[in-house]
Amino acid sequence: MAPNASEDEKRERRPHVGHDPALISGASADGAGKSTTAASPSPFTFREWQSSIEATSNLFAAALKDGLGLAASSLHDQATFLKDIADSKTSSELLQCHLDFLEKFWSRSFSAGSKILDHLKPQPSPAGRQALH
């Protein structure tokens, strides 16, 4: 079905909303305008952004490394625990295996967890570190 004449007329009457290169660059329609980019300076430089991104990725990498180390050691402890349970002959040996496992698990989880959380502590800025020395 072809559009009727009134729809074509409506389209022709609408102002064209396009991207005028002169307006995008900050110049006015007569070409005598000033650039708006100089009026609003960027709050961060590229180096600040780059160092922020690197610091964040280093933080996540260190936390991931410590987390994976905790997971690996926990799996090793669980395998040892199961072996010890299989080798136990009496109920007192079985209870001792459970207590040893819990003690190891608690100790390792606490130390590794605090190490992971240490990465999240706010670090003083380089300028602050220089002021302390």
Side-chain angles (χ1 to χ4, degrees):
M1 179 174 139
N4 60 25
S6 64
E7 289 178 9
D8 289 336
E9 290 172 2
K10 288 178 185 176
R11 285 189 202 120
E12 289 176 6
R13 286 187 210 149
R14 287 187 203 151
H16 176 67
V17 181
H19 298 291
D20 185 5
L23 295 176
I24 291 173
S25 68
S28 64
D30 61 358
K34 296 180 181 176
S35 175
T36 58
T37 58
S40 60
S42 174
F44 295 108
T45 63
F46 176 73
R47 288 187 182 150
E48 289 173 340
W49 279 98
Q50 185 178 12
S51 66
S52 175
I53 290 170
E54 287 174 358
T56 303
S57 64
N58 290 340
L59 170 77
F60 287 135
L64 180 64
K65 179 184 172 195
D66 291 341
L68 290 175
L70 173 62
S73 65
S74 294
L75 286 173
H76 185 268
D77 288 345
Q78 289 173 9
T80 305
F81 170 65
L82 291 175
K83 181 184 163 286
D84 291 344
I85 285 179
D87 293 341
S88 63
K89 305 286 186 228
T90 65
S91 59
S92 62
E93 288 177 357
L94 185 64
L95 182 60
Q96 187 62 41
C97 290
H98 280 85
L99 292 174
D100 290 343
F101 173 72
L102 288 175
E103 183 181 353
K104 274 186 192 176
F105 180 76
W106 175 257
S107 174
R108 186 163 290 155
S109 296
F110 185 77
S111 64
S114 63
K115 186 177 177 183
I116 291 170
L117 291 175
D118 283 343
H119 294 293
L120 301 177
K121 286 183 181 175
Q123 302 294 326
S125 66
R129 276 186 243 139
Q130 290 174 356
L132 293 175
H133 296 288

